[in-house]
Amino acid sequence: MNVEPSTLPWNEAYKLMIGSILPRPIAFVSTVNEAGQANLAPFSFFTAISADPMLVCFSPMLRGTDGARKDTLNNIEATREFVINIVSEKIVKQMNDCAIEYPPDVDEFDAVGLTRQSSQIVKPPRVAESDVHLECVLHDVLHFGDKPGGGSLVIGQVVNIYVKDELYFDGKIDTVKLQPVGRMAGQVYTRAMADTFVLERKKQPTK
């Protein structure tokens, strides 16, 4: 079967995209607006870009019901700061509850019972229950489309990494202890460490 996305309604094309690009890590993004009101929301279009400079990116789509921009995007463009809180299994239910389309004046930390923790450099709070946090300042943002199905690419420069002591060893993070969670299609999630295997990267043979 061959499918041209341009021939489909955006929500049907979206289903094919999220059904093939998986598993996806989850950026649990905390921000504040100009008045200091906190916001917390998950995004599964999330990845790393480079290590020097250390850049990461995530993509908040326009709201499917009316094409409105997410509060997260508005806050980042206004304050130019955000925190990506890595999602492990112990907070996956609260993360999912933060996907509810709350009004802008609702603080999701309070709504779902998560704890604010002061960040080291940026103003948005971290999620205390998360074991790894990436504090970011806005590097760039690109916009694509202006109706449901469109979205933005938010690129952040990581200015501070917080790792809980019990996960950190020899300059690395113990992913078994972290127990990260990934997003599949629809309502399905995956435990990233549930069934892993090792493949050694081969090197070019020397003559």
Side-chain angles (χ1 to χ4, degrees):
M1 177 181 289
N2 293 298
V3 180
E4 295 184 23
S6 60
T7 66
L8 299 175
W10 77 265
N11 52 343
E12 294 299 318
Y14 173 78
K15 291 176 185 177
L16 296 180
M17 183 168 61
I18 65 170
S20 55
I21 304 172
L22 44 79
R24 300 186 304 281
I26 302 166
F28 200 16
V29 182
S30 50
T31 59
V32 293
N33 62 19
E34 290 180 296
Q37 172 78 41
N39 179 269
L40 188 58
F43 302 91
S44 68
F45 292 3
F46 163 49
T47 192
I49 298 175
S50 60
D52 186 15
M54 183 174 282
L55 299 176
V56 295
C57 65
F58 75 97
S59 297
M61 292 183 65
L62 296 176
R63 197 158 58 194
T65 53
D66 58 6
R69 290 159 47 114
K70 300 289 180 68
D71 294 333
T72 298
L73 178 60
N74 291 333
N75 290 350
I76 290 173
E77 288 198 313
T79 67
R80 303 186 67 83
E81 295 181 340
F82 59 97
V83 179
I84 294 177
N85 306 274
I86 301 302
V87 178
S88 58
E89 190 170 354
K90 65 183 178 180
I91 62 169
V92 71
K93 290 183 179 179
Q94 293 97 323
M95 176 276 299
N96 186 52
D97 289 343
C98 284
I100 297 171
E101 293 181 356
Y102 290 106
D105 60 345
V106 172
D107 186 325
E108 285 83 357
F109 281 91
D110 295 332
V112 306
L114 290 171
T115 309
R116 295 178 201 82
Q117 184 178 64
S118 296
S119 297
Q120 192 73 20
I121 295 178
V122 300
K123 290 180 180 177
R126 306 184 296 209
V127 175
E129 291 81 1
S130 173
D131 293 336
V132 179
H133 312 128
L134 308 177
E135 297 182 30
C136 301
V137 296
L138 182 63
H139 181 276
D140 201 1
V141 59
L142 304 173
H143 303 292
F144 305 94
D146 57 3
K147 56 184 181 297
S152 301
L153 179 67
V154 177
I155 301 173
Q157 181 165 354
V158 180
V159 293
N160 188 64
I161 303 171
Y162 172 87
V163 183
K164 287 196 174 174
D165 290 344
E166 56 266 32
L167 271 67
Y168 185 83
F169 75 102
D170 193 26
K172 293 176 270 190
I173 294 173
D174 188 330
T175 50
V176 174
K177 290 182 179 179
L178 177 60
Q179 291 296 302
V181 171
R183 185 76 188 271
M184 304 294 281
Q187 309 297 321
V188 180
Y189 290 80
T190 182
R191 297 178 177 91
M193 299 305 297
D195 186 11
T196 62
F197 59 94
V198 176
L199 281 178
E200 185 177 346
R201 181 177 295 181
K202 296 182 178 179
K203 297 180 180 179
Q204 182 73 23
T206 56
K207 296 183 179 179

